[in-house]
């Protein structure tokens, strides 16, 4: 809907012409932003970063739209009919809101682009420092590897020492059991020997008694024979 007014802004441009120009600029600006976003998320990151001409053009169009909104805001207030004035007020506010939305989208794009540039710069600096300090980094890795190997060797030595100690203790335990068994056998032998000595002593004592009885009997027999011989003479 085109409404022509006699009132003009700068250069004799009517409110309707300003509005049509602002709509064309909005379409071109929106298309430019879409192209920037396609480039941003394309496979070639460098292309997205290296697009200053397109982003500058979009920024310039937004600034022109906002300038047109200021001029249209001044012109619609001079419209005599209230219904037409309200209609143009809504149109101008809509264009201004769309321009502000596009400006915010462009600002976000600039922030993302700046962030990528900073990240690329930081990566380049890190790579440069890494290349310059590669020998130092390798030396650190070698030292850490040697330390880890030393720890593993120490752990293995401790495990071997622990296994050796356990084997020695097991041998000692076996020897202690053998000694206990030998001690028990020795005690049994000693007990047996002690019992045998007692029996031998009893036998020897009995033998002496028997021998004494034998000699006494022999002596008594001799005496009886002697007295019998004397008596018979």
């Amino acid at each position: 809907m085109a409404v022509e007014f006699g009132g003009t802004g700068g250069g004799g441009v009517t409110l309707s012409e300003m509005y049509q120009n602002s709509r064309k600029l909005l379409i071109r600006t929106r298309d430019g932003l879409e192209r920037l976003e396609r480039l941003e998320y394309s496979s070639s990151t460098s292309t997205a970063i290296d697009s200053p001409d397109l982003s500058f053009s979009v920024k310039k169009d937004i600034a022109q739209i906002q300038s047109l909104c200021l001029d249209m805001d001044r012109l619609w207030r001079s419209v005599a009919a209230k219904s037409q004035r309200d209609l143009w007020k809504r149109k101008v506010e809509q264009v201004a809101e769309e321009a502000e939305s596009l400006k915010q989208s462009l600002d976000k794009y600039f922030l993302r682009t700046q962030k990528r540039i900073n990240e690329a710069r930081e990566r380049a600096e890190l790579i440069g420092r890494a290349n310059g300090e590669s020998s130092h980094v390798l030396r650190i890795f070698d030292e850490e590897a040697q330390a880890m190997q030393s720890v593993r060797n120490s752990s293995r030595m401790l495990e071997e020492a622990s296994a050796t100690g356990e084997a020695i203790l097991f041998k000692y335990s076996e020897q202690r059991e053998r000694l206990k068994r030998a001690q028990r056998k020795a005690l049994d032998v000693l007990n047996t020997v002690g019992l045998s000595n007692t029996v031998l002593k009893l036998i020897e004592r009995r033998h002496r008694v028997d021998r004494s009885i034998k000699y006494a009997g022999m002596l008594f027999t001799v005496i009886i024979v002697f007295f019998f011989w004397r008596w018979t003479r």
Side-chain angles (χ1 to χ4, degrees):
M1 178 180 179
V3 180
E4 297 291 338
F5 290 94
T8 60
V13 181
T14 63
L15 179 58
S16 180
E17 290 173 346
M18 288 183 183
Y19 179 77
Q20 294 300 327
N21 290 336
S22 66
R23 298 302 305 178
K24 292 178 182 180
L25 288 172
L26 284 173
I27 294 173
R28 189 169 69 183
T29 302
R30 191 175 295 109
D31 180 71
L33 275 174
E34 291 175 357
R35 289 170 57 192
L36 286 174
E37 291 175 356
R38 285 196 298 270
L39 290 173
E40 180 182 9
Y41 297 107
S42 64
S43 58
S44 177
T45 307
S46 60
T47 304
I49 295 176
D50 299 332
S51 55
D53 293 339
L54 180 57
S55 60
F56 178 78
S57 177
V58 172
K59 183 177 182 180
K60 182 179 178 181
D61 289 340
I62 293 175
Q64 188 174 354
I65 295 171
Q66 291 177 332
S67 178
L68 286 173
C69 286
L70 292 176
D71 292 336
M72 287 189 295
D73 185 76
R74 185 175 63 254
L75 290 176
W76 71 259
R77 297 176 186 278
S78 62
V79 175
K82 184 178 184 305
S83 59
Q84 292 296 320
R85 188 168 62 248
D86 293 338
L87 176 62
W88 280 107
K89 178 178 180 293
R90 288 195 297 271
K91 286 185 176 182
V92 172
E93 289 177 349
Q94 183 180 3
V95 172
E97 291 174 358
E98 292 184 19
E100 181 62 24
S101 177
L102 293 173
K103 181 178 180 298
Q104 292 178 0
S105 298
L106 183 63
D107 291 339
K108 292 178 182 179
Y109 166 80
F110 284 144
L111 288 175
R112 293 193 300 270
T113 302
Q114 187 62 42
K115 182 179 179 181
R116 284 195 299 273
I117 293 174
N118 293 336
E119 290 175 351
R121 183 183 298 111
E122 291 175 358
R123 283 195 297 271
E125 292 175 356
L126 288 174
I127 292 173
R129 288 199 295 268
N131 292 333
E133 301 175 359
S134 58
S135 60
H136 177 65
V137 173
L138 290 176
R139 186 169 64 254
I140 292 175
F141 286 159
D142 290 340
E143 291 176 355
E144 290 182 353
Q146 292 176 3
M148 292 299 295
Q149 185 63 35
S150 177
V151 170
R152 286 193 291 269
N153 292 337
S154 300
S155 178
R156 186 170 61 253
M157 291 176 63
L158 288 174
E159 290 177 356
E160 292 176 354
S162 177
T164 303
E166 290 177 358
I168 292 173
L169 291 176
F170 181 73
K171 290 294 183 181
Y172 282 154
S173 178
E174 288 184 343
Q175 292 178 2
R176 186 171 61 252
E177 291 297 327
R178 284 198 294 267
L179 288 174
K180 286 182 178 179
R181 288 195 295 269
Q183 185 179 11
R184 285 196 296 269
K185 289 181 180 179
L187 291 174
D188 293 339
V189 171
L190 290 175
N191 291 331
T192 304
V193 171
L195 180 60
S196 299
N197 290 333
T198 302
V199 172
L200 289 175
K201 289 180 180 179
L202 290 173
I203 293 173
E204 186 179 359
R205 187 180 299 113
R206 178 65 179 270
H207 180 68
R208 287 196 300 268
V209 171
D210 291 341
R211 189 170 52 188
S212 298
I213 294 172
K214 181 180 69 174
Y215 289 151
M218 290 174 64
L219 180 61
F220 181 74
T221 301
V222 170
I223 293 173
I224 293 299
V225 171
F226 176 75
F227 279 109
F228 182 74
W229 177 72
R230 290 288 304 267
W231 182 262
T232 59
R233 286 185 65 182

